[in-house]
Amino acid sequence: MAEILVCQANSCRQGGSQAVLLEIEELAKALNCTVKPVGCLGACDQAPAALVLKAGRERICTRIKSVEKSAEVVQHATGRTLDLRDPDMLQRFTSVRRVRIRQQACQESKWNAALAGISEEIAQSSGMRRWQLRIEYGQLLRRAGLFEEAMTEVSEVHKAFPTSIEVLMEFAQILSKLGRVEHITDLEAHVRSICCDPEDVRLEMELILRLGRLKAEAVEVTETPIDVREPRIEGYAIWSLRDVTLVSKHSAIYHFVSKDRQRGTPNPRGRGRTVWPKTWHVTLLARLGANSEGPLPWIERDYTPISTAKEWEQGQCDILIKIYNDGQATSWLQQQPLGIRIWFSQPVKTLSVPSLLPDLDQAPFRPASYLLLLAGTGIVAAAQVLHHAERGKCFGSSPTINSPIRLVHSCRSDDVLMSFELLDWCTKGLLKSWTLLLTEAEAGMTPFPDVQDADLTNCASTPNVAILRSRVSCELIRKELNFCPRPCRVLVSGPAGFNAACQSMLREVGFESDAVTILSA
């Protein structure tokens, strides 16, 4: 029987893989085929993706961005051509996909991605669906900090549905952001007029209380001097670029600082809270103007800091970034002067620790060993994992990771990253073994041509460090796994091609796929 594995990792979820899973399940119903969700397939730059397993052979299907593409996946698995002439079915699937993409973007506070395409949906819809989309559009504009635009949209809906509590409260939230105290007072009177039934007394009291809080927020806005008043983007805080440290011909560490109390923490704690160790990332807003990713003047990119959670709480953040010639966000960042104000999201969980699984385990899983297969700037994953093995940098008073960690890092000879830090972890015994695989230098222009290549003299003389001019191979992976007590957790992070190759090699050496976590870098 054929099997279809639909990727549900982060990049694919952003592209609507939850809807893809539903589509393929529906299309494959009653056919000789099973459909399952699965972790990263290593095709992060071609999301959403699925893997077809049939007669001992594998076929990767990428960019499944329409119902027709989902049908092609089912056809590859079953050999059956599907009839897609039902317009109602196509419309239903298309609507579900849009909703799931928007929901995922909202969960990650990616407002440009959430707003992408919604204006076109409104133009194509009618009746109540059109009004529902307009109120959702207004909510997203408010959360993105575009309060005037949000008020224009929601006020029209409020006029059409003056007794709708949902619309009224959304309108009140926008008014509070704009400091319109008197308008919220008018809404309080409006609530009393529409809640005139004795049965509505409790609802009226609740709404008046909520409006009172929003009015207090509006007063705070009016008391803030206009010259320092700035719209807030929900889920984000303002940071400034303090310094840049060039570390290779292609990469640099960007040092950011912040006094914004909205920056949050990777490690929420306090009375009644349980500390949940995790690796984490943040989203940077690159304000490069009009773009193809959505209607807002920025694009959203995820980065994993190499600094600790405690440093974040102190208002410091270091991010290792490779500058790509065709990278919109990195090219924009390279051009920014010191002191520039930049929006970062509040920290977002990447993996649970110590399991290194994306979701919090029902029964915490503690591997007996770890093997990290990393490439390029994927090395940032090693920093966060090793922070949990080091007292003073981990969450809580004692390290969460106590099992041996082995590292294989592949990089170009002119882009060796974090060698000093990795050597220090090797010396301390936190890193059991480090194998550095050097490949040829990257051809073409380099953003920082004057930076000297990393000095690896001390690394070469350290017993638990090996430097090879080679690429990752099945033989190397098999050798590393032989040193890893079971159960072993393998973490793969690098460019899409590296991730896919490692996943294939791990299958070839017979390593269990459910013990592998893959992250895009």
PDB file of all heavy atoms in Angstrom, residues 13-14 16 95-111 113-119 121-122 129 132-133 136-137 140 143:
ATOM      1  N   ARG A  13       4.171  24.570   7.418  1.00  0.00           N
ATOM      2  CA  ARG A  13       2.960  25.056   8.090  1.00  0.00           C
ATOM      3  C   ARG A  13       2.671  26.494   7.681  1.00  0.00           C
ATOM      4  O   ARG A  13       1.506  26.874   7.508  1.00  0.00           O
ATOM      5  CB  ARG A  13       3.111  24.950   9.606  1.00  0.00           C
ATOM      6  CG  ARG A  13       3.045  23.514  10.110  1.00  0.00           C
ATOM      7  CD  ARG A  13       3.337  23.460  11.604  1.00  0.00           C
ATOM      8  NE  ARG A  13       2.208  23.931  12.388  1.00  0.00           N
ATOM      9  CZ  ARG A  13       1.229  23.146  12.824  1.00  0.00           C
ATOM     10  NH1 ARG A  13       1.219  21.867  12.543  1.00  0.00           N
ATOM     11  NH2 ARG A  13       0.253  23.645  13.544  1.00  0.00           N
ATOM     12  N   GLN A  14       3.718  27.302   7.533  1.00  0.00           N
ATOM     13  CA  GLN A  14       3.525  28.675   7.077  1.00  0.00           C
ATOM     14  C   GLN A  14       2.929  28.710   5.674  1.00  0.00           C
ATOM     15  O   GLN A  14       2.232  29.654   5.305  1.00  0.00           O
ATOM     16  CB  GLN A  14       4.855  29.421   7.108  1.00  0.00           C
ATOM     17  CG  GLN A  14       5.389  29.675   8.503  1.00  0.00           C
ATOM     18  CD  GLN A  14       6.782  30.268   8.495  1.00  0.00           C
ATOM     19  OE1 GLN A  14       7.312  30.630   7.447  1.00  0.00           O
ATOM     20  NE2 GLN A  14       7.400  30.359   9.664  1.00  0.00           N
ATOM     21  N   GLY A  16       0.776  26.515   4.549  1.00  0.00           N
ATOM     22  CA  GLY A  16      -0.555  25.911   4.531  1.00  0.00           C
ATOM     23  C   GLY A  16      -0.571  24.405   4.535  1.00  0.00           C
ATOM     24  O   GLY A  16      -1.529  23.790   4.055  1.00  0.00           O
ATOM     25  N   SER A  95     -10.663  27.884   0.235  1.00  0.00           N
ATOM     26  CA  SER A  95     -10.986  28.713   1.399  1.00  0.00           C
ATOM     27  C   SER A  95     -10.309  28.178   2.660  1.00  0.00           C
ATOM     28  O   SER A  95      -9.760  28.944   3.461  1.00  0.00           O
ATOM     29  CB  SER A  95     -12.503  28.777   1.606  1.00  0.00           C
ATOM     30  OG  SER A  95     -13.125  29.391   0.509  1.00  0.00           O
ATOM     31  N   VAL A  96     -10.351  26.854   2.829  1.00  0.00           N
ATOM     32  CA  VAL A  96      -9.715  26.242   4.007  1.00  0.00           C
ATOM     33  C   VAL A  96      -8.222  26.518   4.012  1.00  0.00           C
ATOM     34  O   VAL A  96      -7.636  26.834   5.042  1.00  0.00           O
ATOM     35  CB  VAL A  96      -9.991  24.720   4.040  1.00  0.00           C
ATOM     36  CG1 VAL A  96      -9.117  24.036   5.079  1.00  0.00           C
ATOM     37  CG2 VAL A  96     -11.455  24.455   4.338  1.00  0.00           C
ATOM     38  N   ARG A  97      -7.600  26.408   2.841  1.00  0.00           N
ATOM     39  CA  ARG A  97      -6.150  26.651   2.768  1.00  0.00           C
ATOM     40  C   ARG A  97      -5.824  28.085   3.167  1.00  0.00           C
ATOM     41  O   ARG A  97      -4.891  28.338   3.932  1.00  0.00           O
ATOM     42  CB  ARG A  97      -5.658  26.371   1.348  1.00  0.00           C
ATOM     43  CG  ARG A  97      -4.147  26.501   1.193  1.00  0.00           C
ATOM     44  CD  ARG A  97      -3.737  26.258  -0.241  1.00  0.00           C
ATOM     45  NE  ARG A  97      -3.834  24.865  -0.603  1.00  0.00           N
ATOM     46  CZ  ARG A  97      -2.797  24.108  -0.936  1.00  0.00           C
ATOM     47  NH1 ARG A  97      -1.588  24.623  -0.901  1.00  0.00           N
ATOM     48  NH2 ARG A  97      -2.961  22.856  -1.297  1.00  0.00           N
ATOM     49  N   ARG A  98      -6.583  29.038   2.672  1.00  0.00           N
ATOM     50  CA  ARG A  98      -6.332  30.443   3.013  1.00  0.00           C
ATOM     51  C   ARG A  98      -6.486  30.675   4.510  1.00  0.00           C
ATOM     52  O   ARG A  98      -5.687  31.378   5.123  1.00  0.00           O
ATOM     53  CB  ARG A  98      -7.295  31.341   2.236  1.00  0.00           C
ATOM     54  CG  ARG A  98      -6.988  31.464   0.755  1.00  0.00           C
ATOM     55  CD  ARG A  98      -8.109  32.193   0.045  1.00  0.00           C
ATOM     56  NE  ARG A  98      -7.820  32.422  -1.359  1.00  0.00           N
ATOM     57  CZ  ARG A  98      -8.718  32.835  -2.253  1.00  0.00           C
ATOM     58  NH1 ARG A  98      -9.973  33.067  -1.859  1.00  0.00           N
ATOM     59  NH2 ARG A  98      -8.385  33.026  -3.511  1.00  0.00           N
ATOM     60  N   VAL A  99      -7.529  30.078   5.088  1.00  0.00           N
ATOM     61  CA  VAL A  99      -7.778  30.245   6.524  1.00  0.00           C
ATOM     62  C   VAL A  99      -6.630  29.669   7.334  1.00  0.00           C
ATOM     63  O   VAL A  99      -6.144  30.288   8.288  1.00  0.00           O
ATOM     64  CB  VAL A  99      -9.113  29.602   6.922  1.00  0.00           C
ATOM     65  CG1 VAL A  99      -9.242  29.524   8.435  1.00  0.00           C
ATOM     66  CG2 VAL A  99     -10.280  30.388   6.333  1.00  0.00           C
ATOM     67  N   ARG A 100      -6.153  28.472   6.978  1.00  0.00           N
ATOM     68  CA  ARG A 100      -5.078  27.826   7.735  1.00  0.00           C
ATOM     69  C   ARG A 100      -3.781  28.622   7.635  1.00  0.00           C
ATOM     70  O   ARG A 100      -3.039  28.743   8.620  1.00  0.00           O
ATOM     71  CB  ARG A 100      -4.877  26.394   7.233  1.00  0.00           C
ATOM     72  CG  ARG A 100      -6.005  25.440   7.604  1.00  0.00           C
ATOM     73  CD  ARG A 100      -6.208  25.389   9.122  1.00  0.00           C
ATOM     74  NE  ARG A 100      -7.309  24.519   9.498  1.00  0.00           N
ATOM     75  CZ  ARG A 100      -7.188  23.249   9.838  1.00  0.00           C
ATOM     76  NH1 ARG A 100      -6.000  22.684   9.848  1.00  0.00           N
ATOM     77  NH2 ARG A 100      -8.236  22.542  10.177  1.00  0.00           N
ATOM     78  N   ILE A 101      -3.469  29.140   6.467  1.00  0.00           N
ATOM     79  CA  ILE A 101      -2.261  29.957   6.305  1.00  0.00           C
ATOM     80  C   ILE A 101      -2.348  31.195   7.180  1.00  0.00           C
ATOM     81  O   ILE A 101      -1.385  31.581   7.858  1.00  0.00           O
ATOM     82  CB  ILE A 101      -2.055  30.347   4.829  1.00  0.00           C
ATOM     83  CG1 ILE A 101      -1.680  29.104   4.004  1.00  0.00           C
ATOM     84  CG2 ILE A 101      -0.981  31.422   4.684  1.00  0.00           C
ATOM     85  CD1 ILE A 101      -1.585  29.352   2.511  1.00  0.00           C
ATOM     86  N   ARG A 102      -3.526  31.815   7.199  1.00  0.00           N
ATOM     87  CA  ARG A 102      -3.709  33.027   7.995  1.00  0.00           C
ATOM     88  C   ARG A 102      -3.628  32.706   9.486  1.00  0.00           C
ATOM     89  O   ARG A 102      -3.035  33.455  10.265  1.00  0.00           O
ATOM     90  CB  ARG A 102      -5.052  33.671   7.647  1.00  0.00           C
ATOM     91  CG  ARG A 102      -5.075  35.150   7.852  1.00  0.00           C
ATOM     92  CD  ARG A 102      -5.963  35.908   6.918  1.00  0.00           C
ATOM     93  NE  ARG A 102      -7.275  35.349   6.735  1.00  0.00           N
ATOM     94  CZ  ARG A 102      -7.804  35.100   5.533  1.00  0.00           C
ATOM     95  NH1 ARG A 102      -7.108  35.336   4.438  1.00  0.00           N
ATOM     96  NH2 ARG A 102      -9.017  34.612   5.422  1.00  0.00           N
ATOM     97  N   GLN A 103      -4.223  31.592   9.899  1.00  0.00           N
ATOM     98  CA  GLN A 103      -4.167  31.194  11.311  1.00  0.00           C
ATOM     99  C   GLN A 103      -2.730  30.951  11.748  1.00  0.00           C
ATOM    100  O   GLN A 103      -2.320  31.388  12.831  1.00  0.00           O
ATOM    101  CB  GLN A 103      -5.001  29.929  11.526  1.00  0.00           C
ATOM    102  CG  GLN A 103      -6.498  30.150  11.482  1.00  0.00           C
ATOM    103  CD  GLN A 103      -7.274  28.847  11.589  1.00  0.00           C
ATOM    104  OE1 GLN A 103      -6.729  27.755  11.372  1.00  0.00           O
ATOM    105  NE2 GLN A 103      -8.560  28.941  11.916  1.00  0.00           N
ATOM    106  N   GLN A 104      -1.951  30.263  10.922  1.00  0.00           N
ATOM    107  CA  GLN A 104      -0.556  29.990  11.264  1.00  0.00           C
ATOM    108  C   GLN A 104       0.234  31.287  11.360  1.00  0.00           C
ATOM    109  O   GLN A 104       1.049  31.477  12.273  1.00  0.00           O
ATOM    110  CB  GLN A 104       0.067  29.063  10.221  1.00  0.00           C
ATOM    111  CG  GLN A 104       1.500  28.641  10.519  1.00  0.00           C
ATOM    112  CD  GLN A 104       1.608  27.773  11.763  1.00  0.00           C
ATOM    113  OE1 GLN A 104       0.660  27.066  12.105  1.00  0.00           O
ATOM    114  NE2 GLN A 104       2.743  27.810  12.432  1.00  0.00           N
ATOM    115  N   ALA A 105       0.011  32.200  10.420  1.00  0.00           N
ATOM    116  CA  ALA A 105       0.713  33.486  10.447  1.00  0.00           C
ATOM    117  C   ALA A 105       0.360  34.277  11.704  1.00  0.00           C
ATOM    118  O   ALA A 105       1.227  34.902  12.322  1.00  0.00           O
ATOM    119  CB  ALA A 105       0.370  34.296   9.190  1.00  0.00           C
ATOM    120  N   CYS A 106      -0.913  34.235  12.109  1.00  0.00           N
ATOM    121  CA  CYS A 106      -1.327  34.948  13.319  1.00  0.00           C
ATOM    122  C   CYS A 106      -0.692  34.330  14.560  1.00  0.00           C
ATOM    123  O   CYS A 106      -0.282  35.055  15.481  1.00  0.00           O
ATOM    124  CB  CYS A 106      -2.844  34.941  13.447  1.00  0.00           C
ATOM    125  SG  CYS A 106      -3.689  36.010  12.258  1.00  0.00           S
ATOM    126  N   GLN A 107      -0.606  32.992  14.610  1.00  0.00           N
ATOM    127  CA  GLN A 107       0.028  32.345  15.752  1.00  0.00           C
ATOM    128  C   GLN A 107       1.477  32.783  15.902  1.00  0.00           C
ATOM    129  O   GLN A 107       1.997  32.862  17.006  1.00  0.00           O
ATOM    130  CB  GLN A 107      -0.034  30.822  15.578  1.00  0.00           C
ATOM    131  CG  GLN A 107      -1.416  30.229  15.792  1.00  0.00           C
ATOM    132  CD  GLN A 107      -1.434  28.732  15.534  1.00  0.00           C
ATOM    133  OE1 GLN A 107      -0.390  28.090  15.432  1.00  0.00           O
ATOM    134  NE2 GLN A 107      -2.616  28.160  15.419  1.00  0.00           N
ATOM    135  N   GLU A 108       2.137  33.093  14.791  1.00  0.00           N
ATOM    136  CA  GLU A 108       3.538  33.489  14.807  1.00  0.00           C
ATOM    137  C   GLU A 108       3.719  35.014  14.761  1.00  0.00           C
ATOM    138  O   GLU A 108       4.843  35.502  14.618  1.00  0.00           O
ATOM    139  CB  GLU A 108       4.268  32.851  13.628  1.00  0.00           C
ATOM    140  CG  GLU A 108       4.226  31.324  13.655  1.00  0.00           C
ATOM    141  CD  GLU A 108       4.895  30.695  12.458  1.00  0.00           C
ATOM    142  OE1 GLU A 108       5.498  31.430  11.647  1.00  0.00           O
ATOM    143  OE2 GLU A 108       4.837  29.454  12.317  1.00  0.00           O
ATOM    144  N   SER A 109       2.613  35.759  14.868  1.00  0.00           N
ATOM    145  CA  SER A 109       2.652  37.232  14.819  1.00  0.00           C
ATOM    146  C   SER A 109       3.308  37.749  13.538  1.00  0.00           C
ATOM    147  O   SER A 109       4.030  38.745  13.554  1.00  0.00           O
ATOM    148  CB  SER A 109       3.392  37.797  16.047  1.00  0.00           C
ATOM    149  OG  SER A 109       2.736  37.438  17.234  1.00  0.00           O
ATOM    150  N   LYS A 110       3.031  37.080  12.435  1.00  0.00           N
ATOM    151  CA  LYS A 110       3.558  37.514  11.133  1.00  0.00           C
ATOM    152  C   LYS A 110       2.418  38.171  10.368  1.00  0.00           C
ATOM    153  O   LYS A 110       1.708  37.538   9.591  1.00  0.00           O
ATOM    154  CB  LYS A 110       4.165  36.321  10.382  1.00  0.00           C
ATOM    155  CG  LYS A 110       5.425  35.799  11.064  1.00  0.00           C
ATOM    156  CD  LYS A 110       6.032  34.624  10.363  1.00  0.00           C
ATOM    157  CE  LYS A 110       7.337  34.222  11.073  1.00  0.00           C
ATOM    158  NZ  LYS A 110       7.908  32.971  10.544  1.00  0.00           N
ATOM    159  N   TRP A 111       2.285  39.477  10.609  1.00  0.00           N
ATOM    160  CA  TRP A 111       1.103  40.179  10.140  1.00  0.00           C
ATOM    161  C   TRP A 111       1.134  40.434   8.640  1.00  0.00           C
ATOM    162  O   TRP A 111       0.074  40.498   8.000  1.00  0.00           O
ATOM    163  CB  TRP A 111       0.928  41.482  10.921  1.00  0.00           C
ATOM    164  CG  TRP A 111       0.997  41.273  12.404  1.00  0.00           C
ATOM    165  CD1 TRP A 111       1.844  41.867  13.299  1.00  0.00           C
ATOM    166  CD2 TRP A 111       0.199  40.370  13.182  1.00  0.00           C
ATOM    167  NE1 TRP A 111       1.628  41.402  14.565  1.00  0.00           N
ATOM    168  CE2 TRP A 111       0.623  40.474  14.532  1.00  0.00           C
ATOM    169  CE3 TRP A 111      -0.827  39.480  12.867  1.00  0.00           C
ATOM    170  CZ2 TRP A 111       0.047  39.727  15.551  1.00  0.00           C
ATOM    171  CZ3 TRP A 111      -1.394  38.731  13.882  1.00  0.00           C
ATOM    172  CH2 TRP A 111      -0.963  38.864  15.208  1.00  0.00           C
ATOM    173  N   ALA A 113       2.361  38.345   6.395  1.00  0.00           N
ATOM    174  CA  ALA A 113       1.925  37.065   5.828  1.00  0.00           C
ATOM    175  C   ALA A 113       0.430  36.853   6.054  1.00  0.00           C
ATOM    176  O   ALA A 113      -0.278  36.323   5.184  1.00  0.00           O
ATOM    177  CB  ALA A 113       2.727  35.920   6.435  1.00  0.00           C
ATOM    178  N   ALA A 114      -0.069  37.256   7.221  1.00  0.00           N
ATOM    179  CA  ALA A 114      -1.491  37.075   7.531  1.00  0.00           C
ATOM    180  C   ALA A 114      -2.377  37.929   6.624  1.00  0.00           C
ATOM    181  O   ALA A 114      -3.487  37.514   6.260  1.00  0.00           O
ATOM    182  CB  ALA A 114      -1.748  37.421   8.997  1.00  0.00           C
ATOM    183  N   LEU A 115      -1.898  39.119   6.256  1.00  0.00           N
ATOM    184  CA  LEU A 115      -2.690  40.030   5.435  1.00  0.00           C
ATOM    185  C   LEU A 115      -2.583  39.732   3.942  1.00  0.00           C
ATOM    186  O   LEU A 115      -3.371  40.253   3.150  1.00  0.00           O
ATOM    187  CB  LEU A 115      -2.254  41.477   5.694  1.00  0.00           C
ATOM    188  CG  LEU A 115      -2.768  42.102   6.994  1.00  0.00           C
ATOM    189  CD1 LEU A 115      -1.926  43.308   7.385  1.00  0.00           C
ATOM    190  CD2 LEU A 115      -4.236  42.496   6.842  1.00  0.00           C
ATOM    191  N   ALA A 116      -1.628  38.894   3.554  1.00  0.00           N
ATOM    192  CA  ALA A 116      -1.409  38.620   2.130  1.00  0.00           C
ATOM    193  C   ALA A 116      -2.663  38.008   1.507  1.00  0.00           C
ATOM    194  O   ALA A 116      -3.190  37.010   1.980  1.00  0.00           O
ATOM    195  CB  ALA A 116      -0.218  37.677   1.956  1.00  0.00           C
ATOM    196  N   GLY A 117      -3.160  38.646   0.473  1.00  0.00           N
ATOM    197  CA  GLY A 117      -4.283  38.097  -0.289  1.00  0.00           C
ATOM    198  C   GLY A 117      -5.659  38.376   0.251  1.00  0.00           C
ATOM    199  O   GLY A 117      -6.661  38.083  -0.422  1.00  0.00           O
ATOM    200  N   ILE A 118      -5.762  38.975   1.440  1.00  0.00           N
ATOM    201  CA  ILE A 118      -7.097  39.131   2.029  1.00  0.00           C
ATOM    202  C   ILE A 118      -7.918  40.207   1.298  1.00  0.00           C
ATOM    203  O   ILE A 118      -9.140  40.092   1.184  1.00  0.00           O
ATOM    204  CB  ILE A 118      -6.998  39.431   3.544  1.00  0.00           C
ATOM    205  CG1 ILE A 118      -8.357  39.227   4.209  1.00  0.00           C
ATOM    206  CG2 ILE A 118      -6.444  40.821   3.809  1.00  0.00           C
ATOM    207  CD1 ILE A 118      -8.312  39.247   5.720  1.00  0.00           C
ATOM    208  N   SER A 119      -7.253  41.228   0.772  1.00  0.00           N
ATOM    209  CA  SER A 119      -7.986  42.251  -0.004  1.00  0.00           C
ATOM    210  C   SER A 119      -8.636  41.627  -1.229  1.00  0.00           C
ATOM    211  O   SER A 119      -9.784  41.950  -1.578  1.00  0.00           O
ATOM    212  CB  SER A 119      -7.031  43.373  -0.429  1.00  0.00           C
ATOM    213  OG  SER A 119      -6.547  44.072   0.688  1.00  0.00           O
ATOM    214  N   GLU A 121      -9.520  38.495  -1.519  1.00  0.00           N
ATOM    215  CA  GLU A 121     -10.627  37.654  -1.035  1.00  0.00           C
ATOM    216  C   GLU A 121     -11.874  38.490  -0.793  1.00  0.00           C
ATOM    217  O   GLU A 121     -12.985  38.068  -1.119  1.00  0.00           O
ATOM    218  CB  GLU A 121     -10.224  36.952   0.261  1.00  0.00           C
ATOM    219  CG  GLU A 121      -9.367  35.728   0.094  1.00  0.00           C
ATOM    220  CD  GLU A 121      -9.206  34.986   1.409  1.00  0.00           C
ATOM    221  OE1 GLU A 121     -10.183  34.365   1.881  1.00  0.00           O
ATOM    222  OE2 GLU A 121      -8.100  35.044   1.973  1.00  0.00           O
ATOM    223  N   ILE A 122     -11.687  39.670  -0.196  1.00  0.00           N
ATOM    224  CA  ILE A 122     -12.826  40.543   0.072  1.00  0.00           C
ATOM    225  C   ILE A 122     -13.495  40.947  -1.233  1.00  0.00           C
ATOM    226  O   ILE A 122     -14.728  40.931  -1.360  1.00  0.00           O
ATOM    227  CB  ILE A 122     -12.371  41.792   0.862  1.00  0.00           C
ATOM    228  CG1 ILE A 122     -11.937  41.390   2.278  1.00  0.00           C
ATOM    229  CG2 ILE A 122     -13.481  42.827   0.919  1.00  0.00           C
ATOM    230  CD1 ILE A 122     -11.295  42.506   3.071  1.00  0.00           C
ATOM    231  N   ARG A 129     -20.099  36.669   4.178  1.00  0.00           N
ATOM    232  CA  ARG A 129     -18.682  36.310   4.092  1.00  0.00           C
ATOM    233  C   ARG A 129     -17.827  37.550   3.851  1.00  0.00           C
ATOM    234  O   ARG A 129     -16.751  37.690   4.423  1.00  0.00           O
ATOM    235  CB  ARG A 129     -18.468  35.290   2.966  1.00  0.00           C
ATOM    236  CG  ARG A 129     -17.012  34.891   2.738  1.00  0.00           C
ATOM    237  CD  ARG A 129     -16.422  34.273   3.974  1.00  0.00           C
ATOM    238  NE  ARG A 129     -15.021  33.904   3.773  1.00  0.00           N
ATOM    239  CZ  ARG A 129     -14.154  33.688   4.752  1.00  0.00           C
ATOM    240  NH1 ARG A 129     -14.545  33.804   6.015  1.00  0.00           N
ATOM    241  NH2 ARG A 129     -12.919  33.363   4.482  1.00  0.00           N
ATOM    242  N   GLN A 132     -17.536  39.441   7.149  1.00  0.00           N
ATOM    243  CA  GLN A 132     -16.657  38.717   8.071  1.00  0.00           C
ATOM    244  C   GLN A 132     -15.190  38.936   7.719  1.00  0.00           C
ATOM    245  O   GLN A 132     -14.343  39.130   8.600  1.00  0.00           O
ATOM    246  CB  GLN A 132     -16.988  37.211   8.037  1.00  0.00           C
ATOM    247  CG  GLN A 132     -18.319  36.871   8.676  1.00  0.00           C
ATOM    248  CD  GLN A 132     -18.747  35.441   8.364  1.00  0.00           C
ATOM    249  OE1 GLN A 132     -18.163  34.763   7.521  1.00  0.00           O
ATOM    250  NE2 GLN A 132     -19.789  34.981   9.049  1.00  0.00           N
ATOM    251  N   LEU A 133     -14.899  38.911   6.428  1.00  0.00           N
ATOM    252  CA  LEU A 133     -13.518  39.147   5.992  1.00  0.00           C
ATOM    253  C   LEU A 133     -13.085  40.582   6.284  1.00  0.00           C
ATOM    254  O   LEU A 133     -11.933  40.835   6.641  1.00  0.00           O
ATOM    255  CB  LEU A 133     -13.381  38.851   4.498  1.00  0.00           C
ATOM    256  CG  LEU A 133     -13.316  37.370   4.108  1.00  0.00           C
ATOM    257  CD1 LEU A 133     -13.407  37.218   2.590  1.00  0.00           C
ATOM    258  CD2 LEU A 133     -12.027  36.741   4.622  1.00  0.00           C
ATOM    259  N   GLU A 136     -12.180  40.844   9.920  1.00  0.00           N
ATOM    260  CA  GLU A 136     -10.891  40.170  10.120  1.00  0.00           C
ATOM    261  C   GLU A 136      -9.753  41.027   9.571  1.00  0.00           C
ATOM    262  O   GLU A 136      -8.682  41.127  10.189  1.00  0.00           O
ATOM    263  CB  GLU A 136     -10.901  38.805   9.436  1.00  0.00           C
ATOM    264  CG  GLU A 136      -9.642  37.994   9.689  1.00  0.00           C
ATOM    265  CD  GLU A 136      -9.682  36.619   9.064  1.00  0.00           C
ATOM    266  OE1 GLU A 136     -10.676  36.284   8.376  1.00  0.00           O
ATOM    267  OE2 GLU A 136      -8.699  35.863   9.250  1.00  0.00           O
ATOM    268  N   TYR A 137      -9.992  41.653   8.442  1.00  0.00           N
ATOM    269  CA  TYR A 137      -8.999  42.547   7.845  1.00  0.00           C
ATOM    270  C   TYR A 137      -8.683  43.702   8.793  1.00  0.00           C
ATOM    271  O   TYR A 137      -7.518  44.051   9.023  1.00  0.00           O
ATOM    272  CB  TYR A 137      -9.556  43.073   6.518  1.00  0.00           C
ATOM    273  CG  TYR A 137      -8.612  43.942   5.720  1.00  0.00           C
ATOM    274  CD1 TYR A 137      -7.261  43.635   5.590  1.00  0.00           C
ATOM    275  CD2 TYR A 137      -9.096  45.077   5.051  1.00  0.00           C
ATOM    276  CE1 TYR A 137      -6.421  44.423   4.832  1.00  0.00           C
ATOM    277  CE2 TYR A 137      -8.255  45.873   4.288  1.00  0.00           C
ATOM    278  CZ  TYR A 137      -6.926  45.540   4.187  1.00  0.00           C
ATOM    279  OH  TYR A 137      -6.084  46.330   3.439  1.00  0.00           O
ATOM    280  N   LEU A 140      -6.534  42.510  11.745  1.00  0.00           N
ATOM    281  CA  LEU A 140      -5.137  42.296  11.372  1.00  0.00           C
ATOM    282  C   LEU A 140      -4.401  43.622  11.198  1.00  0.00           C
ATOM    283  O   LEU A 140      -3.236  43.754  11.586  1.00  0.00           O
ATOM    284  CB  LEU A 140      -5.061  41.460  10.089  1.00  0.00           C
ATOM    285  CG  LEU A 140      -5.492  39.992  10.234  1.00  0.00           C
ATOM    286  CD1 LEU A 140      -5.561  39.325   8.873  1.00  0.00           C
ATOM    287  CD2 LEU A 140      -4.535  39.244  11.144  1.00  0.00           C
ATOM    288  N   ARG A 143      -3.552  44.846  14.645  1.00  0.00           N
ATOM    289  CA  ARG A 143      -2.454  44.097  15.251  1.00  0.00           C
ATOM    290  C   ARG A 143      -1.115  44.444  14.602  1.00  0.00           C
ATOM    291  O   ARG A 143      -0.065  44.343  15.231  1.00  0.00           O
ATOM    292  CB  ARG A 143      -2.743  42.595  15.150  1.00  0.00           C
ATOM    293  CG  ARG A 143      -4.030  42.202  15.870  1.00  0.00           C
ATOM    294  CD  ARG A 143      -4.414  40.752  15.687  1.00  0.00           C
ATOM    295  NE  ARG A 143      -3.673  39.899  16.606  1.00  0.00           N
ATOM    296  CZ  ARG A 143      -3.858  38.596  16.701  1.00  0.00           C
ATOM    297  NH1 ARG A 143      -4.752  37.985  15.917  1.00  0.00           N
ATOM    298  NH2 ARG A 143      -3.164  37.887  17.570  1.00  0.00           N
TER     299      ARG A 143
END
